Amino acid sequence: MRSGDGDLLLADDGEVEYVDLTPGTEIAYTLGERHCAGIVDDDGHTACGADGAPYCDQHSHVWVCARCTGDCLKDEMDCFEDHAVYLAAFAPDTFKVGVTREWRLETRLLEQGADRAAHIRTVDDGRAARRIEAGIAERIPDRVRVPTKIDGFGRHVDEAAWQELLTEFDPIETFEFDYDLDLSGRPVSETMATGTVRGVKGRVLLLDRGGSTYAVDLRRLVGHEVTEGATDREMQSSLGAFG
């Protein structure tokens, strides 16, 4: 089993199948052993049985630009296109700074599951954008962990705190996102693939099952062997399951 930001796919004997995560869809898979997820390319899926999960050393890959802080790590810099420096807000009051190519700004914000965002600078190359980001990151984090994001599910962004942050900048554009999750409280964090899809926020899949709503970090599913059919493992319930 492999996943990306907001999608899930299964590999079987080299063939790759996308799993529908449209709200209301029923999925039922039982998770088995976990190992390296291998690779997917134009020829399909190449399996790997190494113990490293979600990827072994041979198949681990970190995009070099993701590690850039303004000193290019490539042999020759090639990011000569407009980049956006942005701020993202995660309910209730967690904020981060980030950089992406300007043309995919909104997509990147949705990939992260941001509740609010502000485009604060446009720079004509990636190195300059990373330097600006690194400067801002001395006081505003440039990463937010998934458990922190899940803690804010079902809550609203602190408007006063967000507006106070924005007064330090002159936003070019601001964004508000609604993922239509209709949560009345924080979901229970679990690693499973059985239930009714409530929605996807960033890389977190929301599943309803047995009167509770579960938050599944899709990356934690990567590399699991799966069998069709609902798991019978007993799950922790949320308070809302008891009425």
Side-chain angles (χ1 to χ4, degrees):
M1 179 172 283
R2 291 172 56 92
S3 73
D5 291 305
D7 60 31
L8 185 65
L9 51 89
L10 298 177
D12 183 14
D13 196 25
E15 299 295 322
V16 177
E17 172 190 354
Y18 280 87
V19 178
D20 184 9
L21 297 181
T22 302
T25 300
E26 298 280 347
I27 64 172
Y29 299 99
T30 297
L31 303 181
E33 294 182 0
R34 193 183 190 204
H35 51 75
C36 175
I39 58 172
V40 173
D41 54 26
D42 293 340
D43 296 323
H45 175 253
T46 301
C48 176
D51 291 337
Y55 300 101
C56 67
D57 291 342
Q58 182 179 349
H59 293 122
S60 294
H61 173 72
V62 178
W63 185 38
V64 65
C65 294
R67 300 197 304 264
C68 176
T69 59
D71 294 319
C72 188
L73 302 175
K74 296 180 178 179
D75 293 334
E76 183 176 350
M77 191 178 106
D78 59 3
C79 52
F80 296 105
E81 62 179 310
D82 285 350
H83 282 64
V85 182
Y86 64 85
L87 299 173
F90 304 88
D93 55 5
T94 298
F95 310 123
K96 75 173 287 284
V97 63
V99 165
T100 189
R101 288 167 290 179
E102 186 181 30
W103 63 268
R104 72 181 312 274
L105 172 58
E106 189 166 349
T107 297
R108 182 59 184 146
L109 294 169
L110 290 169
E111 288 173 349
Q112 296 182 60
D115 295 303
R116 302 278 190 92
H119 177 185
I120 58 173
R121 291 285 300 274
T122 300
V123 188
D124 61 8
D125 72 69
R127 180 168 59 184
R130 287 296 187 185
R131 287 175 176 172
I132 293 171
E133 177 194 36
I136 297 174
E138 292 179 0
R139 53 196 179 88
I140 301 173
D142 59 1
R143 285 177 173 76
V144 179
R145 297 175 62 248
V146 169
T148 300
K149 295 178 182 180
I150 293 175
D151 283 343
F153 282 19
R155 304 173 70 180
H156 298 288
V157 173
D158 184 326
E159 185 68 28
W162 176 239
Q163 292 302 324
E164 181 179 358
L165 177 63
L166 292 187
T167 60
E168 302 179 35
F169 304 89
D170 184 17
I172 298 168
E173 184 179 9
T174 58
F175 304 83
E176 292 187 27
F177 299 106
D178 184 352
Y179 298 85
D180 295 322
L181 300 178
D182 192 26
L183 293 169
S184 58
R186 184 169 63 87
V188 179
S189 294
E190 265 287 1
T191 300
M192 65 177 192
T194 296
T196 303
V197 177
R198 178 179 285 260
V200 178
K201 185 177 183 183
R203 77 181 206 201
V204 179
L205 169 65
L206 279 297
L207 292 174
D208 292 331
R209 184 181 178 196
S212 294
T213 299
Y214 298 92
V216 182
D217 182 348
L218 287 168
R219 186 169 173 80
R220 292 189 176 275
L221 298 182
V222 176
H224 275 284
E225 299 284 347
V226 297
T227 54
E228 290 193 13
T231 178
D232 57 4
R233 180 169 63 90
E234 185 175 345
M235 298 295 175
Q236 178 183 352
S237 295
S238 65
L239 185 61
F242 301 102

